[in-house]
Amino acid sequence: MSKVKKKVQQKKTCEGFGDKSGVCENKVIKNTFDLCKNCAGKQFELKVAQLFEVQGYKIELDVKDSSTQADFVAALEYGISCFEILVECKWKLDTKSTVNSQDVRKLYGSFETIRQGGRFKDLNQMYLVTNARFAPEAKEVAFKLNVKLITFDDLINNLINFKPYQDQIIKDYESSHLNEHYIDLYSIFEIVENGEDPETNLIEEVTYAFEEESAVIVLGDYGAGKTSFCHRLAYELCKKIQTDSKNDTYMPILIQLRDLNMAPDLSHIITSFLVNKLGISNGNFNTFMKLLNLGKFLVIFDGFDEVARRVDHYTKLKVFSEICKFATSNSKILVTCRPNYFDNQKEFEQIFQESGLHFEPTQQTVFFNEFDVAPLRFSQIVQYVKSYEKSLVKKGYTVKQFIDII
């Protein structure tokens, strides 16, 4: 495996989006890497529209009427009744910046003009959606004009509220032995590169890899710490989500494949996750898959070897193909596995390295970036034993005495 670059080279020209795809010649902007400001805004509009579609709304984009226009109208029908919302989207490069009161008044003016035009007879609400924040004066004006202000994250949370799940991930980790005894893991490549003084731990390496790749596989023998690594990664991501206002952290979804009694049907796994972990009685797999395309998720499949040891080659490949569907343009997948649970090296390569399979609906090819967990070095063993120093002292041992014994 080649060393993962920690910096991504910025492209000079926008790749374009929508009707500008492949023909836009504007300069890209910082932190988007492939889009200019106009195309990034258009992409944001489409994501917002798709979130309304997921909820059953019919969308009409680029609504124009005489002297004004708006991003889209979302219509929802109830029998013979119809409910229409005028939606305007404000994308910001800096998510700490704010949408001001002028944007609110502009939307209100567009709403009045379009409603009076008569084409949208059931237009009765206005939504202003942003990926950033709303200024206090914007909130005051919105309250007076009956404009609903909502962030993109709030739209997603209105579909599925992940906050209780995040809280549970954090609570479970902090009440487990890992909170005091977890030690950083490193890849074999990192150890080879830097010897006994590695610079980048495995979580950092995987994070860097996801800047460019959509899929990662972590390989390690029994007892190498793969499951602990998954819990630690999920914990760190949830903590960051709740403390970082940038909204650029992947939401971890931790799936334990070892808990299954047979080759998994992943749609049932996700439905069970929505119902049992998130408490959503009408949890829907299709809705979740659409969210993967819109939001930033990291789906962690821990223990693929638990599937591999129970089934034949073709079932392994089928399960792998299902897993790859979770890698989208915005979301990532991570798989852990023991390499010795494949019939031979050729089978492993066929499944994880050479498949080049295409997956619906995007026809995206998924390739895995491989990380091999390095055996624990002596310094890590010492660190681990030291984390139990209080318990050892109670039993009459010093750290040194215990290390000498083992």
Side-chain angles (χ1 to χ4, degrees):
M1 183 197 75
S2 60
K3 181 69 174 177
V4 179
K5 294 181 179 179
K6 299 184 181 181
K7 293 184 179 180
V8 180
Q9 185 176 2
Q10 183 174 320
K11 297 177 181 179
K12 294 182 180 180
T13 305
C14 176
E15 290 185 353
F17 182 79
D19 58 359
K20 293 289 186 180
S21 182
V23 297
C24 183
E25 297 181 353
N26 293 334
K27 299 290 185 180
V28 299
I29 50 177
K30 185 178 179 182
N31 294 334
T32 61
F33 303 106
D34 54 0
L35 295 177
C36 67
K37 183 177 181 179
N38 290 338
C39 288
K42 282 293 182 183
Q43 184 185 61
F44 180 67
E45 291 171 17
L46 183 60
K47 286 182 178 181
V48 173
Q50 288 174 334
L51 280 177
F52 277 87
E53 282 185 318
V54 166
Q55 299 176 78
Y57 287 86
K58 293 181 179 179
I59 304 299
E60 182 173 335
L61 296 169
D62 298 322
V63 175
K64 298 179 182 179
D65 194 312
S66 64
S67 60
T68 191
Q69 68 177 51
D71 291 333
F72 65 88
V73 168
L76 188 64
E77 295 182 358
Y78 290 100
I80 60 174
S81 301
C82 183
F83 180 76
E84 294 175 332
I85 304 172
L86 186 67
V87 182
E88 186 70 17
C89 306
K90 291 296 178 183
W91 180 85
K92 301 286 186 180
L93 173 60
D94 181 5
T95 56
K96 292 184 178 180
S97 61
T98 57
V99 175
N100 58 40
S101 58
Q102 183 179 352
D103 294 318
V104 178
R105 291 190 177 93
K106 183 178 178 181
L107 172 58
Y108 180 78
S110 298
F111 175 81
E112 289 296 320
T113 301
I114 292 172
R115 186 171 62 171
Q116 291 171 11
R119 190 157 69 91
F120 297 97
K121 298 180 181 180
D122 298 298
L123 194 65
N124 48 27
Q125 276 205 350
M126 304 158 278
Y127 279 33
L128 187 56
V129 184
T130 184
N131 65 323
R133 303 173 179 178
F134 294 100
E137 61 270 20
K139 294 178 181 180
E140 292 178 7
V141 173
F143 178 78
K144 293 177 181 178
L145 299 180
N146 199 27
V147 175
K148 184 172 180 61
L149 305 181
I150 189 166
T151 67
F152 185 78
D153 287 342
D154 287 337
L155 273 180
I156 292 180
N157 287 332
N158 283 343
L159 286 175
I160 299 178
N161 181 12
F162 287 96
K163 179 64 164 54
Y165 175 68
Q166 295 166 8
D167 291 340
Q168 192 63 48
I169 288 285
I170 293 172
K171 180 181 178 182
D172 288 348
Y173 184 89
E174 292 182 345
S175 62
S176 74
H177 70 283
L178 291 175
N179 194 38
E180 294 184 4
H181 306 301
Y182 180 82
I183 58 173
D184 289 329
L185 300 179
Y186 296 89
S187 71
I188 289 177
F189 182 88
E190 181 68 19
I191 298 299
V192 171
E193 285 284 295
N194 297 292
E196 285 297 312
D197 189 25
E199 298 178 355
T200 308
N201 66 44
L202 188 56
I203 287 181
E204 293 169 334
E205 281 196 275
V206 167
T207 301
Y208 294 139
F210 281 137
E211 291 182 2
E212 295 182 320
E213 308 293 341
S214 60
V216 160
I217 178 170
V218 174
L219 296 171
D221 292 329
Y222 179 81
K226 301 184 298 299
T227 297
S228 296
F229 164 81
C230 291
H231 283 288
R232 177 71 181 197
L233 176 60
Y235 169 75
E236 288 191 6
L237 289 174
C238 287
K239 288 286 285 186
K240 187 175 181 182
I241 288 171
Q242 296 193 359
T243 58
D244 190 351
S245 61
K246 294 181 180 179
N247 298 326
D248 62 353
T249 303
Y250 289 98
M251 172 66 208
I253 305 297
L254 180 55
I255 306 295
Q256 298 285 355
L257 295 178
R258 63 177 47 84
D259 294 337
L260 302 171
N261 295 322
M262 61 185 71
D265 180 333
L266 293 183
S267 64
H268 289 165
I269 294 175
I270 294 302
T271 300
S272 175
F273 169 81
L274 296 174
V275 174
N276 298 322
K277 294 289 186 180
L278 299 183
I280 302 172
S281 58
N282 61 341
N284 183 282
F285 176 73
N286 291 330
T287 296
F288 182 80
M289 292 305 293
K290 289 180 180 179
L291 283 177
L292 289 187
N293 284 292
L294 297 172
K296 296 183 68 174
F297 294 87
L298 170 59
V299 188
I300 304 170
F301 296 95
D302 182 34
F304 183 81
D305 48 280
E306 298 295 328
V307 175
R309 70 184 178 87
R310 297 193 299 262
V311 299
D312 59 22
H313 170 79
Y314 296 101
T315 306
K316 295 174 190 176
L317 189 60
K318 179 182 177 182
V319 174
F320 163 73
S321 300
E322 290 295 313
I323 286 174
C324 286
K325 292 180 181 179
F326 290 80
T328 70
S329 57
N330 290 309
S331 296
K332 313 289 185 178
I333 57 177
L334 184 148
V335 179
T336 71
C337 188
R338 283 184 257 175
N340 59 335
Y341 272 88
F342 296 91
D343 292 338
N344 49 55
Q345 180 65 21
K346 183 177 181 181
E347 182 187 41
F348 169 77
E349 292 174 353
Q350 285 178 338
I351 291 180
F352 283 104
Q353 296 176 349
E354 298 177 356
S355 60
L357 298 176
H358 295 273
F359 303 96
E360 297 289 352
T362 61
Q363 294 294 307
Q364 177 186 5
T365 303
V366 178
F367 295 103
F368 281 77
N369 196 333
E370 178 188 332
F371 292 88
D372 297 274
V373 179
L376 292 180
R377 306 182 326 280
F378 180 73
S379 59
Q380 289 174 288
I381 295 173
V382 172
Q383 178 187 352
Y384 183 71
V385 173
K386 281 184 175 179
S387 71
Y388 284 94
E389 185 171 10
K390 291 181 180 179
S391 298
L392 290 173
V393 170
K394 289 181 180 179
K395 295 181 180 295
Y397 293 98
T398 66
V399 170
K400 184 179 184 306
Q401 287 172 333
F402 191 82
I403 291 174
D404 289 341
I405 293 174
I406 61 174

